[in-house]
């Protein structure tokens, strides 16, 4: 599901990220719901916990299933989650095989698992883009690294340094961000299978944990020690990482905007935004936008932290807040990486020959 | 402009507000750009500041003008604002009347004015919805106001009171919210006409202020004492109001969710969300969502405050942050009002006969 | 009460504001508790609602009363509010006149009223400081207003303007801030007298409202239409104002730091912070701090908005969050005003003779 | 450094944490400044980079040095950092050995290193307190783990479960929090030795890195690959951890407050806060405060993220924002752990015998 910031074509062209937004689309979530339910039915059957023929019939029904969009939207509005409407439709097409579907699972299992898969997939995209930004920074270092630059602290001239020194300060948090990504990705890419009140696959009987393990393997996820219906640590940590990367890019954007000031003139960009009133202007729009996106994610991260305060076995209120906050953070980080690389590729000069 | 939170049909069905979102759509902004430019050209002509024939020709061109969507998106991505591409197209169709278009104006004049118009129009919608919520609260008071309720403080039983007492606590901040709305709406509904660096219509010459006054009147806006390119007070105050109303509704939602607990049983709702795992459940989804939306806007408001720190005569970074934050706040407040009324209309019992 | 950011002498010297902090000190709150209780006892007696002799005896006891600090701290830790320990001590010294004390009141009445008085008194201090900043801006306009300055938008050279033009952009939100202050001050400076579950003075009988009116008059506060135990609108609006003023000063600080850059050189400051490593440096510490304080309050404001979601007749959780957030916001705004005036008084040049 | 939230004795008794606050006191920072400077002088001497006799004389002066508090406060107000005044005094007492002091270092090196040491020391305290909370949870599990409890989702009755099931959900994020602490502590406990513009010990010559390595070892810190003047990742990650732990405790507090409601009655506490108006009440003050502290840190964390956007080689504005935000977050997390354990130790019953 869930939010993307692209209703207007203009807004999308400035802040949107189609590739990452698609990972959070309704279509993507429905596909992952299907993968979850099929993995569940298959694994239960393989462990002899449901009748094999019934399971096969249910699997066949699920394979060909295409949910009705209107029924999904109506269910979402009434139930506050898409899963009841989804499972109702699934069971209807499965006929007498319905009892082999959604056994021991609950709405949150499907939605959290689908979100975990989205973050896992987003991680790959984001890692690739960080590499691209680092590569662009490396190219600048090759071209301009030995040029001289005025080191400035607290907005005042401090000491001379090289362009390479500043490029190194820009790239360090991104390099370490790649290392950190591996950890938060592994944390977040975990199966959710807690059942109605989060007691986990154990409630299915002795073979429950094995079922969960097989499901996790099939879905390409980690099996956590316990269900995490009310423990949002992994998503908070992922969001924190998103905002750290966006913040590191915001620092680069801020520096570029400062360096591009006439009178400072320490960077040249081969193009920029035009003005409706002043044809002579070339605005460092991408640099400014990196600051915008950094501050945007620095705002949003607080929402994930507020959403930690779940009541009892599941808070609809806290959970929905996470839905509103997390996907736009992924998009903002992703777009900032795209914009950062684009901006760095526009640099035609940095510092002055020493 | 321009963000709305509705890329996914599910997300839209939960958090979206089509009526308010449409006020921030690209189409709505283009219409208001057209209104601004036509008011400007007409008024300049009426004040003898541009040639009347040229103005008439420019007006004719603008009347029939339909901007090219692809060109707009491309311009937005390059320029970071839609206005340069818009004005380029406008001038192209106006041919030799181009000099009669966009005289003395800058991108920010069009965008800020269009946003001010959006907030003015949103105010009417929001006021109507607050009235509807107050009416629903009044109906509950009529039906259940004299019923007894247990007053609770700090989550503990305090003293007996009536359902009407609590309904009064719910409605008071909404009533005062209506009063406050009149002020923030009047503040926000102001013309922006600062020109390239915010010096205002005075730069057009002696008649400049009269031109601006006539434009404001034509567009249904207030004429501010000075251009407000870097003074975002009115928008911050409007955002603050949005979050105050959403917070007042969040308090109602929190109370309803608490009252609906089995064991407390102080409110009955005639329907609720279903569960994929537990058919007996009726989840107070709307009540929870009011808490979600309150916390969402309480997060976002910080973004508007951060966006006050403009550099020099215009900060692209701060301004774009406002674009990302303000429209979703309007939608969240609007949806919360819709949901609050719907929830209150579902109430079939409150308190106990005394 | 309650929070001030000054445990360390260094921290206090950077961010503290003794004058405003003292309005939120324990001593100040105890004095206001005393004023509340004495106004209550006197007024009840005057309206014949308690025995006059008993009231006189209680008043005498209260006049000479000095609460025990340790008992207060212990009570605060146990009760989460200072009032029960305070009233226990008051009643103990009053002996058999104890029943004439705290009649119909509750902890929140004393604390909210004392906070309202603190905000009222802070408003006077803040208004005076805004005038001082406006005066300093006016002096700069007299000295340098006709000098030329390069207007910059999106960090790029736009058009020439005067120093006076920028000074005008700086002062406008402060001038309008003074107007806004009158409104939020009047809103916030209101008596709280709701009693245990917020039903208000009506629970004291027919003369209750007159009692409340007399108390409000004695305490120099407005009498609200209804108790506001769970309606925090007035405090949220005050906090919003604090952050708007701090934001307006942050914009000035940002500009000064940018203007003071070598290579831009559009402002001269007669002193600045020194560096431990580079004796030649003069850091625009006050300018930077204005940005810091603006961003600090822009963060905190979200806490007041979160604290709107009260449960039932009083949420200890939401209320305590307000205690943690609001006083530091007052101090940050107050210190920013002090620093802004100090910085503006250091300006020895701005722009270039035209 | 340096903020703690304890100006008022009442505030301190509610929200303060003396043990952790002392780690951020001016005294503690001065001690660490001394340790840094002595390690620097000694190591430079050992590597033959300064004259051994001069170094010895400087060390002797530093050993007996007690800075003048007034001079420190005055310097802080002027310079915006305590280090220039500190080093001036140090050099004055060292006489002709002054050149052996502060060689190659800058203010930020001392302050960041001292903060890193504070976080390292805080980590030990926090870890011990998490263990204590886990132990209290374990005791409850022993006493009540097999009792029955009503599992509730979205505030509605779901399925029966045991008290142990809920205790397990409470302890899981704290256990994983201990694991995460090891990582963020190791990240944060790093030497800062970047020199004036962050180029690092390499600027001291070939032996520079060895000097830094020896200093880090002497101070009990990690030697980072590069100076981190503008890369605040480690502090942001630490702040994120603080808010995650506080959030996990907020969830426990929220649950306890809900369980303690009359009508739900799933937990009994052996004491609670009293009311000034209603002697029968026992308010779950500690439970509520856990929610308050969770929301407080969820607000503050955004400030650390905003503070990532440093300009050039050092932003005074961003850096000072970190000083205002980080220490109160440590205190809030620490106090929440104290309160959580205290609250759990008050539990005299949970669930019902099955």
């Amino acid at each position: 599901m869930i939010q993307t910031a692209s209703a207007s074509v203009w807004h999308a062209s400035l802040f949107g990220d189609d590739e990452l937004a698609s990972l959070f689309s309704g279509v993507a979530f429905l596909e992952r719901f299907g993968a979850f339910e099929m993995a569940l039915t298959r694994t239960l059957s393989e462990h002899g916990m449901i009748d094999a023929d019934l399971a096969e019939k249910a699997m066949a029904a699920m394979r060909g299933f295409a949910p009705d969009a209107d029924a999904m939207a109506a269910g979402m509005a009434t139930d506050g989650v898409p899963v009841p409407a989804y499972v109702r439709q699934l069971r209807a097409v499965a006929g007498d095989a319905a009892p082999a579907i959604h056994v021991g699972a609950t709405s949150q299992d499907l939605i959290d698992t689908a979100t975990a898969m989205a973050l896992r997939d987003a991680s790959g995209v984001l890692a690739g883009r960080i590499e691209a930004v680092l590569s662009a920074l490396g190219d600048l270092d090759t071209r301009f690294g030995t040029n001289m630059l005025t080191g400035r602290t607290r907005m005042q001239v401090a000491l001379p340094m090289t362009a390479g020194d500043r490029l190194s300060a820009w790239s360090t948090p991104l390099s370490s961000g790649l290392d950190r990504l591996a950890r938060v990705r592994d944390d977040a890419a975990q199966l959710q299978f807690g059942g109605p009140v989060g007691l986990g696959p154990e409630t299915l009987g002795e073979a429950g944990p094995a079922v969960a393990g097989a499901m996790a393997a099939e879905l390409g996820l980690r099996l956590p020690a316990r269900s995490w219906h009310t423990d949002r640590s992994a998503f908070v940590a992922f969001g924190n990482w998103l905002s750290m990367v966006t913040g590191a890019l915001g620092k680069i954007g801020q520096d570029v905007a400062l360096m591009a000031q006439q009178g400072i003139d320490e960077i040249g960009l081969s193009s920029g935004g035009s003005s409706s009133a002043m044809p002579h202007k070339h605005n460092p729009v991408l640099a400014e936008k990196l600051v915008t996106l950094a501050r945007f994610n620095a705002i949003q991260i607080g929402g994930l932290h507020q959403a930690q305060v779940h009541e009892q076995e599941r808070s609809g209120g806290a959970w929905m807040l996470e839905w509103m906050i997390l996907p736009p953070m992924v998009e903002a980080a992703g777009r900032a990486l795209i914009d950062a690389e684009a901006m760095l590729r526009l640099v035609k000069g940095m510092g002055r020959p020493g």
Side-chain angles (χ1 to χ4, degrees), chain A:
Chain A
M1 55 206 69
I2 304 186
Q3 176 179 30
T4 60
S6 49
S8 144
V9 60
W10 297 345
H11 194 275
S13 66
L14 259 194
F15 305 121
D17 185 326
D18 289 344
E19 185 176 7
L20 291 172
S22 73
L23 298 176
F24 292 91
S25 71
V27 169
F29 269 65
L30 284 176
E31 277 174 18
R32 295 188 201 114
F33 290 176
F36 182 102
E37 294 289 359
M38 290 178 61
L40 174 57
T41 298
R42 175 185 305 119
T43 314
L44 286 171
S45 169
E46 285 168 5
H47 286 77
M49 296 169 74
I50 54 174
D51 177 80
D53 290 343
L54 214 59
E56 189 43 52
K57 192 175 166 195
M59 302 279 291
M62 289 195 274
R63 256 178 232 117
F65 174 66
D68 177 73
D70 290 342
M72 291 301 303
M76 185 76 169
T78 307
D79 303 328
V81 276
V83 178
Y86 177 79
V87 172
R88 272 195 299 272
Q89 293 182 58
L90 216 51
R91 284 182 170 149
V93 298
D96 59 5
I101 289 174
H102 201 60
V103 176
T106 194
S107 290
Q108 192 169 1
D109 295 335
L110 272 70
I111 292 173
D112 281 357
T113 298
T115 305
M117 294 166 82
L119 294 180
R120 176 199 62 196
D121 296 348
S123 297
V125 176
L126 293 165
R129 292 187 191 168
I130 294 176
E131 306 266 21
V133 173
L134 286 169
S135 162
L137 289 167
D139 290 350
L140 290 181
D141 194 53
T142 304
R143 293 162 64 201
F144 310 115
T146 57
N147 277 1
M148 294 308 294
L149 206 65
T150 304
R152 289 169 198 262
T153 55
R154 307 191 82 137
M155 308 286 278
Q156 289 290 294
V157 167
L159 293 177
M161 49 188 275
T162 65
D165 292 328
R166 188 168 285 169
L167 289 166
S168 164
W170 290 355
S171 63
T172 300
L174 294 173
S175 300
S176 69
L178 270 181
D179 298 336
R180 292 174 195 273
L181 174 57
R183 291 205 297 252
V184 297
R185 176 210 175 279
D186 290 352
D187 250 23
Q190 57 183 337
L191 179 72
Q192 180 68 282
F193 187 27
V197 291
L199 302 184
E202 289 78 359
T203 58
L204 292 174
E206 215 171 295
V211 166
M215 285 179 66
E218 180 170 338
L219 296 171
L221 296 170
R222 181 173 65 82
L223 182 68
R226 197 190 181 284
S227 80
W228 42 284
H229 283 175
T230 61
D231 176 6
R232 314 310 289 174
S233 307
F235 284 2
V236 176
F238 199 95
N240 183 63
W241 180 88
L242 290 168
S243 180
M244 283 172 66
V245 166
T246 322
L249 300 172
K251 187 260 184 294
I252 300 176
Q254 184 70 280
D255 279 353
V256 169
L258 288 167
M259 295 165 85
Q261 293 172 102
Q262 293 93 338
I264 305 293
D265 304 302
E266 292 188 318
I267 204 162
L269 299 169
S270 58
S271 78
S274 56
S275 155
S276 74
M278 294 167 286
H280 63 278
K281 284 196 71 188
H282 295 286
N283 296 317
V285 172
L286 293 174
E288 292 181 292
K289 213 203 304 177
L290 292 179
V291 177
T292 301
L293 293 166
R295 299 211 181 279
F296 179 79
N297 268 354
I299 292 293
Q300 306 305 319
I301 185 65
L304 290 186
H305 283 266
Q306 294 290 351
Q308 292 181 110
V309 186
H310 267 249
E311 303 101 12
Q312 302 149 338
E313 278 58 67
R314 178 177 312 124
S315 166
W319 196 30
M320 284 190 281
L321 184 56
E322 197 181 274
W323 303 354
M324 293 188 83
I325 297 284
L326 186 53
M329 288 189 74
V330 173
E331 257 195 274
R335 180 59 186 253
L337 286 163
I338 290 175
D339 287 343
E341 191 200 350
M343 177 188 76
L344 295 170
R345 295 294 180 200
L346 293 176
V347 174
K348 59 182 180 185
M350 185 171 174
R352 334 160 266 291

